[in-house]
Amino acid sequence: MSGFELRNGQWWCDQIAVDALADEYGTPLYVYSRARIEENYRRLQYAFKALTPRIHFSVKSNSNGAILRVLRELGSGFDVVSAGEAYRVLRAGAVPASIVFAGVGKTESELAFALEHHLGWINVESVQELEVLNRLANERNAKPQVALRINPQIEADTHHHMNTGGHRSKFGLDVDDARSVLLQAGQYLNLDIAGLHVHIGSQLANTVETVAALQRVLELATLHPIRNLDIGGGFPVPYRPDDELPDPSVFAEAVQQVLQTHPSTPLRSAHAVSPPEAGRRTGWDARFEIAIEPGRSIVADAGVLVATVQYIKVRASRRIVVCDASMAELIRPALYDAYHHIVPVKDTKPSTLVADIVGPVCETGDTLGADRELAEVARGDRLLIMNAGAYGMSMASNYNSRPRPAEVLVEGRYHHQIRRRETWADLVRLEE
Ligand SMILES: Cc1ncc(COP(=O)(O)O)c(C=O)c1O
């Protein structure tokens, strides 16, 4: 077991007590376990082993350069949604061909960046974007690999802010538009349209909609030669101790089942091919490559946010525990009503309080956990906000002019600061 564990009454990150890190770096503080990131990556690889997909880590979930380097060393590719993310990934040493550039509103300068840096795939989300990209590629005498992101008009079972495949969603091309593009793909002389992409949302509660979306996309795969099918990310993470959610292997099996049985799939089960051919791969003779783009399932439980209790007051028979972390450092509770389990870093007493754990930001929405059963805590005690490794620091802001926190990566018995805490001078650095 790697990652965060309660041992002898206090929380550890692998072989380092979290309290010792908070003493050294102060709070609020993000702490990550390298071993847990590696374990999660390998678990996904194993779950999907029959499909041998390319894994493109979704950089939006955590974009710290040190974490990107860990993933690059594991052999991961990268899914980026801005030229800024692509810049970070290239700086972390990624091979350009391992980068997929997605996003609904790429600007011309971002598309030019993708062409000039020879990124592996550009996932296009509208007919106008295709035209712009074709022109920019022509001007540069380039012919990038392009995947069409399909909006399958299927609502995923998740928070509405994390639903990206529904009929009102801004993402992707409608199936009919994608069909016309594929039938006229030859018109885009400077685009090698050879991929299909679908991502219906994040923290998916089940595989039903994933299967339905994939079926819809596969119908398009017969219209034009396709080399790559990117089935997105979204594999869920249990945030509550009692959450029961499908493991990545359940998604892998469901996807495999669709690929095996869909009438228009160009994939064949190994059982259907001759023995020498079947021997080349485990389980599949794939005519196109599969790609997945997980974020949360790799980094969420590999990171925590550590906070210090500032004040405690009693209101309407409940405690209000004011700590030094806020929605500026972790916006998920305010943005998605997300639950993050919160425990004292020194966790020896039974949970007897009902408390709201709040931050210092001047917003009522700045509540990290409401109605929580918490052990008796006092001013100065530290709290661990669990599963904060994904969409935590990458969504952090300077709201209320709060310097963003430091980040530390634990590697067994060692740790490194991978981003220093911002200073007040950093807050005004870019102002005239
Ligand atoms: C296009 C795309 N791919 C991949 C992801 C990663 O999702 P997750 O972190 O849930 O795996 C997202 C996030 O919403 C996304 O928008």
Side-chain angles (χ1 to χ4, degrees):
M1 164 69 192
S2 58
F4 296 88
E5 209 177 12
L6 182 61
R7 269 182 255 145
N8 303 325
Q10 66 167 318
W11 282 87
W12 291 70
C13 177
D14 298 323
Q15 294 172 52
I16 301 187
V18 172
D19 214 36
L21 295 172
D23 283 345
E24 185 162 346
Y25 297 101
T27 62
L29 176 72
Y30 273 101
V31 178
Y32 306 103
S33 155
R34 178 181 183 133
R36 187 67 188 170
I37 294 172
E38 291 176 347
E39 194 174 311
N40 287 339
Y41 183 85
R42 297 210 168 95
R43 191 165 50 97
L44 268 170
Q45 241 179 350
Y46 185 75
F48 279 87
K49 66 181 185 308
L51 296 170
T52 56
R54 276 177 185 270
I55 301 181
H56 298 127
F57 173 65
S58 182
V59 174
K60 68 172 83 69
S61 64
N62 191 314
S63 51
N64 185 291
I67 289 181
L68 300 177
R69 282 195 294 277
V70 168
L71 284 150
R72 190 208 66 207
E73 283 164 23
L74 288 167
S76 184
F78 297 93
D79 157 55
V80 302
V81 290
S82 68
E85 285 189 353
Y87 173 81
R88 279 179 176 276
V89 167
L90 290 169
R91 196 165 168 267
V95 177
S98 72
I99 302 172
V100 174
F101 190 9
V104 70
K106 304 176 203 79
T107 62
E108 289 203 18
S109 65
E110 289 185 306
L111 289 170
F113 180 98
L115 292 170
E116 282 153 20
H117 289 82
H118 308 286
L119 303 191
W121 286 86
I122 303 178
N123 292 358
V124 167
E125 304 212 13
S126 68
V127 174
Q128 279 190 338
E129 187 189 347
L130 270 179
E131 285 158 4
V132 170
L133 183 61
N134 192 45
R135 171 171 54 77
L136 295 174
N138 179 269
E139 286 162 11
R140 288 163 180 77
N141 209 10
K143 193 162 185 176
Q145 297 191 108
V146 168
L148 303 183
R149 178 168 180 182
I150 311 301
N151 180 336
Q153 308 214 334
I154 287 170
E155 307 278 343
D157 183 2
T158 186
H159 188 277
H160 63 280
H161 286 172
M162 293 196 259
N163 191 326
T164 57
H167 70 285
R168 295 193 58 187
S169 158
K170 67 180 177 178
F171 296 101
L173 284 145
D174 288 347
V175 172
D176 286 346
D177 287 340
R179 189 176 291 119
S180 325
V181 169
L182 290 169
L183 291 172
Q184 299 161 39
Q187 281 183 12
Y188 298 94
L189 293 178
N190 283 85
L191 303 182
D192 176 16
I193 301 176
L196 293 172
H197 172 215
V198 64
H199 170 83
I200 58 166
S202 195
Q203 190 65 2
L204 303 172
N206 61 64
T207 61
V208 175
E209 292 86 16
T210 298
V211 165
L214 200 52
Q215 279 167 334
R216 202 153 285 178
V217 170
L218 280 173
E219 272 150 33
L220 298 168
T222 53
L223 303 175
H224 178 74
I226 294 299
R227 293 195 299 277
N228 193 286
L229 175 65
D230 180 343
I231 60 171
F235 314 119
V237 164
Y239 283 95
R240 294 174 190 265
D242 57 353
D243 267 348
E244 282 183 23
L245 290 159
D247 184 81
S249 63
V250 176
F251 280 87
E253 277 158 30
V255 167
Q256 201 174 325
Q257 178 76 9
V258 183
L259 293 173
Q260 202 163 14
T261 54
H262 195 275
S264 60
T265 182
L267 287 181
R268 292 169 291 161
S269 145
H271 308 298
V273 299
S274 61
E277 244 188 311
R280 280 193 292 117
R281 274 176 169 260
T282 45
W284 293 102
D285 171 34
R287 288 192 209 157
F288 52 53
E289 197 171 48
I290 304 293
I292 56 175
E293 40 188 38
R296 187 188 307 276
S297 50
I298 293 180
V299 285
D301 69 1
V304 297
L305 177 60
V306 191
T308 303
V309 174
Q310 303 297 305
Y311 303 105
I312 300 168
K313 51 190 176 182
V314 180
R315 175 155 305 147
S317 76
R318 75 177 52 219
R319 307 286 165 112
I320 297 180
V321 176
V322 185
C323 68
D324 64 356
S326 72
M327 64 189 287
E329 291 77 37
L330 181 68
I331 200 174
R332 296 193 69 258
L335 191 59
Y336 307 117
D337 291 322
Y339 179 97
H340 283 265
H341 203 54
I342 303 176
V343 290
V345 169
K346 290 198 170 150
D347 202 351
T348 49
K349 300 179 202 141
S351 301
T352 49
L353 297 181
V354 175
D356 288 351
I357 296 122
V358 303
V361 162
C362 292
E363 296 278 347
T364 303
D366 184 25
T367 297
L368 296 165
D371 281 329
R372 296 301 177 81
E373 285 180 12
L374 194 69
E376 189 78 49
V377 285
R379 203 174 126 65
D381 285 355
R382 288 180 177 134
L383 299 174
L384 203 65
I385 303 164
M386 313 283 284
N387 289 333
Y391 307 102
M393 185 62 176
S394 64
M395 291 179 112
S397 75
N398 291 122
Y399 187 43
N400 276 204
S401 287
R402 295 173 59 78
R404 275 177 290 186
E407 293 176 286
V408 170
L409 181 64
V410 171
E411 303 191 29
R413 286 188 290 126
Y414 303 98
H415 66 271
H416 317 277
Q417 179 170 257
I418 57 173
R419 183 181 159 108
R420 70 160 170 82
R421 184 176 303 286
E422 288 178 359
T423 61
W424 293 326
D426 288 325
L427 294 177
V428 294
R429 199 160 34 97
L430 303 177
E431 292 172 16
E432 298 294 320

